[in-house]
Amino acid sequence: LARSRAVTINVNAWSDAGHAVNHLYDILYMMGRDDILVGIGGDGGISDAGTIYPNVGGYLPLIDQGITTVGDCRYRKAVPLEGGGRLDIDTNWGIRRSFLPQGNRRYIPFQQPTTQQVMIDTISAGPTTVILTGSHTNFAIFLMTYPHLKGNVKHIYTMGGGVRSKNPTGCCPKDVTTACTPQQCGDIGNLFSSYSTNPYAEFNIFGDPFAAYQVFHSGIPITLVPLDATNTIPVNEEFFYAFQQHQSTFEAEYCFKSLKMARDTWSDDQFHASYFMWDSFTSGVAISGMRNDKDCLHGNDFAELEYMNITVITSNEPYGIYDGSNPLFDGHAVPKFGLKKGGVHSGHVQTGIVDSFCIIEGSRKGRCEDGYTKEISGLEAVRVRVATKAKSNVDKNSRLDREFFKSFLEVLTLRDNTGRFDITAQFPFYREVLYKPNFVNKSRGKVTIFDMDMSAGDFVSLIYLLKAPVEEIDLKGIFVSGNGWANAATIDIVYDILHMMGRDDIPVGRGTSTALGTGILGCKYVSAIPQGSGGLLDSDTLYGLARSLPRSPRRYTAENSVEHGAPRNTGNPELRQPLAFEVWQSVKKQLDPSEKITILTNGPLTNLANIVLSDRNASSVIKSVYVVGGHIRDENDSNGNVFTVPSNRYAEFNLFLDPLAAKVVLESTMDITLIPLSSQRKASSFQTLLESLEYAENTPESSFVLHLLSLLHDLQQKHRLYHHMGIFLGELLGAVYLVEGSNMEHSLLLKPISIIADNTTSTDGQVVVNEQSANLVKVLEDFDSDEYYSRVANHLGNMERSAVIGSFTEQRASWSRQPDNLRVH
């Protein structure tokens, strides 16, 4: 019938690039389809004049795409960051790592095919059918850049939008006797986080309305599967329990586990009425269309279809009045992309989920229509074939009420083209082992918590701390930030590092994903971090090296319990991912009366600020805080390092990423040692550190650090996008100073400082030396850098407290042979 040639991944909505690409590689490996090309990202840009440069990565909607991958999350603000949102999608609720096998393909900087490369190669090879199940950014860029290849696209099938739909979610039962406030009931769209501003849009089209407009108006035949149809195929109980009985293949088992976890973590008891077969139903409609409907004359096996005249709304009336919301027109004498002044794209463009323009006073329904696939007449109308309803099952005796349900279960359990294995079947002697050290009869050093944002430098720092003797540093817990140089799902790499080093006893607490005072949705401050090369994509994959680490039995999971505020217990609530505040409380409870906690922070100060604000007694049990961050202006008037916000010359990233949290912590009465950018820069010589590491003893951890830092240095030398790699090298100084400070030649100065946190990006996060301030902070001014590099190399090369298991290669070799204690002699 048809053969899948390539997959490109949309990463400006529900998933993050680094996690999505490796997840897809694992699925393809399971299915024996390593031949399928995978395209993701790219670092091209679009000029102010509308010139589209090669390999634009699709990280930003077209309306906000500039020259780099740095930008606001105008539409993506609607997508939750944590439970039920990007964290759960990036990890597939934690099921991905517990189930899928791991092959050889992975993201590698500058070797990963980009989205545009893959689209060009695939579509230029011959007639192609395109299925779109996310925002249309990637494909729109392709069509706008290579219009001569449109003729090779036979048909587009897309899941998205709502035309005549009436959302059944959140409706009050007819016989309700208590007060009931309808939520999305009757709305055309499904933006549950934004229906009060936009009740018309559906997530996929809202992710980039202007891109969807380009696709719909391209002249290519389109079959749209909107909410009109998907609302008629909810995952009802009959289908759910039939699916539970049909798990005879690895792919069926993986899909059911995912569906069950979605149900178990659903926010209310309306899962079966609110969760629909969105993308999978669209795939069925597309396959049926390709099989039965070559001339668009025959019916579809799974959906009722009819032609409608529609368009995609990209801006709101009145048109031609420029209010700063529309970068396609505002500030341009000639509109971007040659658009028409006063035309349909020239009105107010929704700026986010909270937009006063969109709110109608006294009404729960907003007026903005961005992303609405609206039925219209006139010149703007496009004739599109629209699925209006899921077809009923022709077998009236079946428990399954939709024809697609039956086909879905049949296809997933077919023995043809079936999956080869899961992780346990991939290796004949796979086993999950937790490594915990024996500290009996050992005195314990400083009770320490490490707070990290999971940048490359933070992982090196973590390894360094784990190598310290427990008599000096007793690492009791780790906090991770989701609003720094990696997305929250990167917590899995923390677990892998701990597993490698034999420290599965250390709890890891997940912090919040937004800066203090900015709400639970959005990207204020963290939007300054590039999403492509040198930014989140690389951090989330540890520059392609994460999959070389041994695979820990511990991982992020959405498992939860009523005891911790969940709506219900999941299957294994004991596996629940703890929060940073819970790890804090646990460490605090373990303290002896004479003990206090030392904290090292290597990222934004969000976690520590939240603890100080939530626990009034926190300061009384904190002995000292070492803060890696901040920039204090010197006589040379040196700049900070927030290179993506040129207007902010003097901020340093860790404090900039949460200025209010920095103010709470650094202007407190706690004993604080600041390790500022000036000192970090003295510890940022790649060449010197790499030479030291090459002469040090070879341990698995020193080899891994050498490999990682060599890669960062090589990227910095060869590619302009990686010019900032030195900022990660300097982050190691905090861990070294914490462990070795008393043995290093160094100087500290007391300085009265304050932090600017006035909601102005050009000054937020700056450190001001204020002689009027009573707040004194110890600042690391100088140290012997030669001694520093030598200590780092010797410490990492120390054979004591070395890795228990050095790599995934070592692990897979172990899983491929029978353990010695099980062998028959």
Side-chain angles (χ1 to χ4, degrees):
L1 168 65
R3 186 164 178 83
S4 298
R5 298 288 185 188
V7 179
T8 56
I9 307 174
N10 161 242
V11 289
N12 64 359
W14 282 85
S15 64
D16 294 299
H19 297 292
V21 65
N22 284 336
H23 187 181
L24 184 55
Y25 279 141
D26 289 344
I27 289 174
L28 292 174
Y29 182 64
M30 176 178 74
M31 299 303 295
R33 293 304 309 272
D34 279 344
D35 60 303
I36 292 179
L37 291 171
V38 175
I40 194 161
D43 287 285
I46 300 177
S47 73
D48 284 343
T51 302
I52 302 175
Y53 295 103
N55 279 322
V56 183
Y59 293 105
L60 301 166
L62 287 178
I63 195 169
D64 292 322
Q65 177 66 63
I67 295 301
T68 71
T69 63
V70 176
D72 189 37
C73 53
R74 177 192 298 263
Y75 303 117
R76 205 182 192 194
K77 288 186 179 86
V79 179
L81 294 167
E82 298 175 5
R86 280 160 50 190
L87 172 60
D88 284 343
I89 302 307
D90 285 342
T91 60
N92 197 24
W93 289 279
I95 298 166
R96 168 193 162 193
R97 294 248 305 179
S98 68
F99 187 92
L100 291 178
Q102 182 172 317
N104 294 322
R105 285 208 292 176
R106 59 178 179 172
Y107 164 81
I108 300 174
F110 284 96
Q111 293 183 34
Q112 172 64 43
T114 66
T115 293
Q116 292 302 312
Q117 281 177 302
V118 168
M119 284 187 172
I120 294 163
D121 293 347
T122 304
I123 293 173
S124 62
T128 306
T129 297
V130 173
I131 302 174
L132 302 174
T133 58
S135 81
H136 291 193
T137 310
N138 292 328
F139 192 57
I141 291 168
F142 168 80
L143 293 176
M144 294 168 73
T145 313
Y146 305 97
H148 62 285
L149 291 177
K150 283 198 299 187
N152 280 9
V153 181
K154 291 171 56 181
H155 203 94
I156 299 168
Y157 293 88
T158 181
M159 190 278 125
V163 186
R164 302 171 184 168
S165 54
K166 292 185 178 179
N167 198 323
T169 305
C171 294
C172 298
K174 292 179 181 179
D175 57 350
V176 67
T177 56
T178 59
C180 175
T181 303
Q183 297 176 32
Q184 293 171 257
C185 184
D187 291 346
I188 287 172
N190 69 350
L191 294 182
F192 59 82
S193 57
S194 188
Y195 61 79
S196 60
T197 53
N198 187 332
Y200 302 97
E202 175 275 337
F203 270 104
N204 286 346
I205 306 298
F206 185 73
D208 194 341
F210 185 76
Y213 181 95
Q214 301 304 314
V215 173
F216 276 68
H217 287 258
S218 65
I220 301 170
I222 293 177
T223 296
L224 174 67
V225 183
L227 297 176
D228 306 49
T230 60
N231 284 345
T232 67
I233 188 164
V235 177
N236 56 39
E237 292 187 53
E238 290 76 16
F239 169 73
F240 185 89
Y241 291 115
F243 194 179
Q244 193 169 29
Q245 303 304 314
H246 289 76
Q247 298 183 64
S248 56
T249 62
F250 291 114
E251 56 271 29
E253 187 179 353
Y254 186 59
C255 290
F256 180 75
K257 282 178 179 288
S258 305
L259 183 64
K260 184 176 185 301
M261 188 61 77
R263 186 199 68 170
D264 290 351
T265 57
W266 201 247
S267 60
D268 58 29
D269 59 358
Q270 296 299 308
F271 173 83
H272 293 295
S274 304
Y275 195 95
F276 306 96
M277 299 285 279
W278 294 287
D279 299 336
S280 51
F281 180 61
T282 301
S283 299
V285 171
I287 290 170
S288 176
M290 288 185 275
R291 179 173 56 209
N292 300 342
D293 204 6
K294 294 179 181 178
D295 301 316
C296 298
L297 298 175
H298 306 292
N300 193 281
D301 294 331
F302 307 123
E304 296 180 7
L305 304 165
E306 67 175 271
Y307 281 95
M308 299 182 191
N309 294 322
I310 64 175
T311 190
V312 178
I313 304 298
T314 64
S315 73
N316 299 275
E317 296 180 344
Y319 299 135
I321 297 177
Y322 309 133
D323 59 3
S325 68
N326 190 338
L328 299 177
F329 290 84
D330 295 329
H332 291 281
V334 178
K336 202 167 181 176
F337 302 125
L339 300 178
K340 181 181 176 182
K341 287 187 176 182
V344 295
H345 304 298
S346 68
H348 177 92
V349 178
Q350 189 167 346
T351 57
I353 56 174
V354 178
D355 184 340
S356 58
F357 176 91
C358 304
I359 296 171
I360 301 174
E361 191 173 350
S363 174
R364 75 169 192 89
K365 292 193 177 189
R367 65 168 172 158
C368 282
E369 297 184 350
D370 305 63
Y372 179 16
T373 46
K374 191 173 186 177
E375 195 171 7
I376 64 166
S377 58
L379 296 177
E380 272 292 305
V382 178
R383 186 169 166 80
V384 172
R385 191 168 53 163
V386 179
T388 60
K389 185 180 180 181
K391 284 188 173 179
S392 299
N393 193 342
V394 295
D395 180 2
K396 302 303 180 184
N397 295 318
S398 172
R399 290 186 303 155
L400 305 176
D401 63 354
R402 294 289 181 263
E403 187 68 17
F404 178 68
F405 285 154
K406 180 178 68 174
S407 175
F408 180 87
L409 297 181
E410 287 173 353
V411 169
L412 273 190
T413 52
L414 280 175
R415 286 297 168 187
D416 295 334
N417 304 316
T418 191
R420 298 178 299 166
F421 35 55
D422 63 1
I423 185 67
T424 60
Q426 181 183 9
F427 300 106
F429 300 102
Y430 174 84
R431 56 200 177 277
E432 294 189 344
V433 180
L434 292 173
Y435 299 119
K436 298 182 179 181
N438 183 358
F439 290 142
V440 175
N441 298 325
K442 286 194 174 184
S443 61
R444 311 290 277 264
K446 296 177 187 173
V447 175
T448 304
I449 291 174
F450 182 40
D451 187 357
M452 60 190 295
D453 70 350
M454 301 181 290
S455 69
D458 286 8
F459 283 110
V460 178
S461 299
L462 175 59
I463 291 172
Y464 192 94
L465 291 174
L466 293 170
K467 291 280 291 182
V470 71
E471 294 89 347
E472 297 175 17
I473 300 293
D474 186 11
L475 188 58
K476 290 285 194 183
I478 295 169
F479 302 155
V480 299
S481 300
N483 61 323
W485 276 88
N487 289 294
T490 309
I491 193 172
D492 283 342
I493 304 180
V494 179
Y495 285 127
D496 289 346
I497 293 283
L498 292 173
H499 189 61
M500 177 178 80
M501 299 302 294
R503 293 305 306 271
D504 289 324
D505 59 306
I506 297 176
V508 181
R510 179 179 66 81
T512 58
S513 298
T514 52
L516 206 64
T518 62
I520 60 171
L521 296 174
C523 59
K524 188 171 176 62
Y525 301 115
V526 77
S527 61
I529 296 176
Q531 294 196 52
S533 297
L536 296 170
L537 169 61
D538 285 314
S539 292
D540 286 345
T541 59
L542 203 45
Y543 295 77
L545 298 181
R547 285 159 74 90
S548 66
L549 293 167
R551 190 164 163 148
S552 172
R554 292 197 296 168
R555 60 189 73 87
Y556 167 79
T557 177
E559 299 276 9
N560 210 338
S561 65
V562 173
E563 179 185 356
H564 287 99
R568 64 194 61 81
N569 289 346
T570 56
N572 297 281
E574 72 281 358
L575 298 177
R576 174 182 174 273
Q577 169 62 52
L579 301 177
F581 189 70
E582 292 164 349
V583 170
W584 163 259
Q585 291 174 313
S586 173
V587 173
K588 190 177 158 186
K589 280 182 183 177
Q590 297 173 41
L591 293 175
D592 290 334
S594 61
E595 287 183 316
K596 290 192 175 184
I597 301 169
T598 297
I599 299 175
L600 170 64
T601 70
N602 262 41
L605 295 172
T606 314
N607 291 328
L608 183 51
N610 279 324
I611 285 168
V612 170
L613 293 172
S614 302
D615 181 355
R616 292 182 179 180
N617 298 320
S619 297
S620 66
V621 296
I622 293 176
K623 178 180 179 182
S624 54
V625 178
Y626 294 80
V627 175
V628 178
H631 175 59
I632 300 175
R633 292 169 63 178
D634 56 22
E635 64 277 5
N636 298 318
D637 199 35
S638 59
N639 288 348
N641 67 0
V642 188
F643 60 91
T644 56
V645 186
S647 62
N648 194 329
R649 286 187 58 195
Y650 302 113
E652 178 274 337
F653 253 114
N654 284 344
L655 301 198
F656 174 82
L657 289 169
D658 196 335
L660 185 56
K663 192 172 187 69
V664 168
V665 172
L666 293 173
E667 295 184 10
S668 71
T669 58
M670 292 185 290
D671 178 11
I672 294 173
T673 300
L674 188 69
I675 301 171
L677 196 55
S678 57
S679 293
Q680 293 175 49
R681 284 170 172 160
K682 295 172 186 174
S684 297
S685 170
F686 272 109
Q687 186 172 350
T688 306
L689 182 54
L690 290 173
E691 286 176 359
S692 299
L693 285 168
E694 284 170 356
Y695 285 109
E697 292 292 334
N698 186 23
T699 62
E701 58 274 16
S702 67
S703 295
F704 179 80
V705 170
L706 178 61
H707 191 178
L708 173 60
L709 297 184
S710 298
L711 176 58
L712 297 188
H713 186 227
D714 190 54
L715 290 169
Q716 183 189 54
Q717 296 288 100
K718 295 179 179 178
H719 303 286
R720 62 176 179 81
L721 295 168
Y722 291 87
H723 67 90
H724 58 282
M725 293 297 100
I727 68 177
F728 304 128
L729 193 60
E731 289 182 315
L732 177 58
L733 178 58
V736 178
Y737 184 70
L738 175 63
V739 176
E740 300 274 10
S742 60
N743 301 319
M744 289 172 58
E745 185 180 331
H746 67 279
S747 62
L748 291 171
L749 284 180
L750 279 174
K751 292 192 177 182
I753 67 167
S754 58
I755 309 299
I756 299 177
D758 57 8
N759 204 32
T760 305
T761 55
S762 60
T763 56
D764 272 335
Q766 292 184 14
V767 179
V768 177
V769 177
N770 180 4
E771 298 298 341
Q772 307 303 314
S773 174
N775 177 53
L776 293 175
V777 168
K778 287 179 282 189
V779 178
L780 180 64
E781 284 282 296
D782 201 8
F783 59 94
D784 185 333
S785 58
D786 291 336
E787 180 188 14
Y788 166 82
Y789 292 117
S790 175
R791 285 185 179 276
V792 170
N794 291 337
H795 187 80
L796 293 174
N798 191 333
M799 293 298 181
E800 294 186 48
R801 297 168 298 281
S802 187
V804 173
I805 182 163
S807 65
F808 181 67
T809 300
E810 182 181 332
Q811 197 174 42
R812 64 187 297 160
S814 169
W815 290 340
S816 299
R817 63 174 183 267
Q818 191 176 58
D820 290 337
N821 61 346
L822 296 181
R823 290 177 185 169
V824 177
H825 297 282

